[in-house]
Amino acid sequence: MSLVERIAQADELGLAVSGLACLDRCVPLLGGDDEVLRPLWAALSVDAAPGDWPGHLALVRDKLDQTAGADEAVTLAHRMLTAAPADRSAGELRPWADACSVAALRIHRLLDGADPAEDRAGTVDAPRAGRTDGMSPLVAAELRRQITVLEVLSGHGPAGLRRALEVTTEGRRVLRAALSRRSRRDTP
């Protein structure tokens, strides 16, 4: 099953975690540390009150740098954060989760050295639909993480949150390493 199909079939929790996981993996671009999104993860737990999400989302937005820069990857990460819906309904979450998926894959393509003009041509649509030929290792790993998060949640429900967070933490470390490589590459 393709990533697009998994997002289309995901329930409210799967959609919220999918979007949040993409955002969390890209949070280094926003100047955030490993703990900045923890309140949102906690708001998705079984023990959380239904109204926790909007308040925690507002706090997270206040903590993270809201200044979009000239860097395309940073701009994409900002869009993920600003587009996060305060309403945790499937109808609100599905377009956000889908947009976060696309943005995270585009960010990984850009960090892998893709030309931003070429990237806007929809080059992440094929992998999301299941066609993975010619994909860079960085993008392939992000695609696997996105699929794994949705698989874990569809198979285990709320009990899959811990595993989804583990996958996300690993992805955040990979993104930080890619940022470091890009910084070294771009520094004269």
Side-chain angles (χ1 to χ4, degrees):
M1 184 182 315
S2 74
L3 177 58
V4 172
E5 293 167 326
R6 290 179 194 286
I7 291 172
Q9 294 178 6
D11 64 7
E12 179 185 307
L13 178 64
L15 294 167
V17 172
S18 177
L20 180 57
C22 288
L23 175 60
D24 199 347
R25 286 189 296 275
C26 297
V27 82
L29 290 162
L30 300 174
D33 64 22
D34 290 352
E35 301 298 317
V36 72
L37 296 180
R38 287 292 177 155
L40 288 175
W41 284 100
L44 297 176
S45 73
V46 175
D47 301 331
D52 285 353
W53 176 267
H56 290 309
L57 181 59
L59 289 173
V60 165
R61 285 179 175 151
D62 287 344
K63 287 181 184 177
L64 290 172
D65 177 17
Q66 293 294 314
T67 309
D71 186 270
E72 179 77 13
V74 173
T75 300
L76 289 167
H78 278 275
R79 284 185 194 151
M80 281 192 267
L81 178 61
T82 58
D87 179 10
R88 264 191 48 201
S89 68
E92 295 291 320
L93 291 167
R94 194 171 316 281
W96 178 63
D98 193 58
C100 287
S101 168
V102 170
L105 289 167
R106 286 183 62 199
I107 286 167
H108 284 77
R109 277 187 44 76
L110 291 167
L111 293 177
D112 224 11
D115 178 6
E118 174 189 314
D119 191 62
R120 286 190 194 100
T123 53
V124 297
D125 291 340
R128 292 181 73 240
R131 297 180 306 276
T132 58
D133 296 341
M135 210 175 10
S136 74
L138 192 62
V139 175
E142 173 59 17
L143 180 67
R144 280 192 305 274
R145 280 186 211 84
Q146 290 186 26
I147 290 170
T148 299
V149 164
L150 287 164
E151 284 176 346
V152 165
L153 289 165
S154 80
H156 302 286
L161 274 175
R162 181 178 299 276
R163 177 67 183 129
L165 187 54
E166 290 169 357
V167 168
T168 298
T169 300
E170 170 201 347
R172 192 179 330 107
R173 283 191 289 263
V174 169
L175 186 124
R176 276 201 176 101
L179 284 171
S180 179
R181 278 192 309 276
R182 180 175 79 163
S183 176
R184 286 191 307 269
R185 179 187 71 213
D186 294 347
T187 302

